[in-house]
Amino acid sequence: MRIVGGKAKGTILLSPAGKNTTRPTLGRVRESIFNVLANVGLEEAKVLDIFAGTGAMGLEALSRGAAEAVFIDRTTSDLIRKNAERCHMSGQVKVIARDVTPALKLLGGKSFDYIFMDPPYRKGYINEILKEILSCGICSDDAIIVAEHSVSEAPDLSLFEDRLDLWKEKKSGAIVVTYLRCRTTEGV
C-alpha cells in the first residue's frame, strides 16, 4: 500500500505483520475519496482518522495539503508513527492509542474539518461512533465525515437528521463511502 497523491506520493506504507488485523482502504477507493475532497479543498485542514489502521487516510490528507492529523487506533499506534516518519510528516501527526470512545472524549475542545472513519464491518459501530463524534462537538463548521462501510451497514441518517446531511455516497463493490456534512448547531 502506498500514498497515491500529493507531496508523499509513492511512499510505501508499512502494514501490520502476521495476522491481518486491519482492513486498509483500497488504493482506488482512497484515490476516489480524495478526488471528491479536492473539490472542497484540503489546504490547511485539520483531519481526524478514526480506526486509523496504517494511517493511510490521514497521511494521504497530509500529503495533499492538510495541516495536521490526529489518528485513533488502539492496536496500531506505533505503526502509524512509523508511517508518518516514512512520509516525513511526524511533526503534523498526533496518535492516540486508545479505544475510540474514550479517545474522542479526549478531543473535546478541538475541531476537525475532515473526519475519516472506517469501523470494523458487521459490528454495528457506525451509528454509535457518529453519535459520539457529534456529542463531543469536534466538528468544525461544515466539517465532512467520510464513513467507509459495507453495503449492509449504512448509517441510519434519521438518527442524526438535525446534525448531519448526506452530501454524497459512492459504492465500489461491497464497500460504500458515505460523505456527511456536519451542522454545528441543530436544525440549521
Side-chain angles (χ1 to χ4, degrees), residues 50-102:
I50 303 171
F51 299 102
T54 63
M57 294 300 292
L59 294 170
E60 188 76 45
L62 290 171
S63 181
R64 294 169 183 251
E68 62 185 70
V70 175
F71 299 83
I72 298 174
D73 202 303
R74 181 177 43 87
T75 60
T76 62
S77 57
D78 289 337
L79 180 69
I80 295 166
R81 287 184 188 94
K82 288 176 185 173
N83 281 334
E85 287 174 22
R86 290 179 87 104
C87 294
H88 307 289
M89 298 173 181
S90 296
Q92 297 170 273
V93 166
K94 178 180 179 182
V95 181
I96 302 174
R98 291 187 173 215
D99 287 328
V100 171
T101 298

Side-chain angles (χ1 to χ4, degrees), residues 12-85:
I12 297 172
L13 300 177
L14 300 172
S15 295
K19 185 179 178 189
N20 192 5
T21 58
T22 63
R23 181 187 27 78
T25 301
L26 299 172
R28 64 183 164 75
V29 173
R30 198 165 6 105
E31 187 168 15
S32 174
I33 289 169
F34 283 95
N35 286 341
V36 168
L37 297 181
N39 293 323
V40 290
L42 284 164
E43 288 298 315
E44 298 304 310
K46 294 178 183 171
V47 173
L48 176 61
D49 190 347
I50 303 171
F51 299 102
T54 63
M57 294 300 292
L59 294 170
E60 188 76 45
L62 290 171
S63 181
R64 294 169 183 251
E68 62 185 70
V70 175
F71 299 83
I72 298 174
D73 202 303
R74 181 177 43 87
T75 60
T76 62
S77 57
D78 289 337
L79 180 69
I80 295 166
R81 287 184 188 94
K82 288 176 185 173
N83 281 334
E85 287 174 22

Side-chain angles (χ1 to χ4, degrees), residues 14 19 25 33 37 44-45 49 55 80 84-85 104 106 123 135 139 142 148 150 181 184:
L14 300 172
K19 185 179 178 189
T25 301
I33 289 169
L37 297 181
E44 298 304 310
D49 190 347
I80 295 166
E85 287 174 22
L104 287 172
L106 285 174
K123 302 276 187 188
S135 72
C139 296
D142 291 325
E148 186 179 330
S150 69
R181 238 187 231 278
T184 53

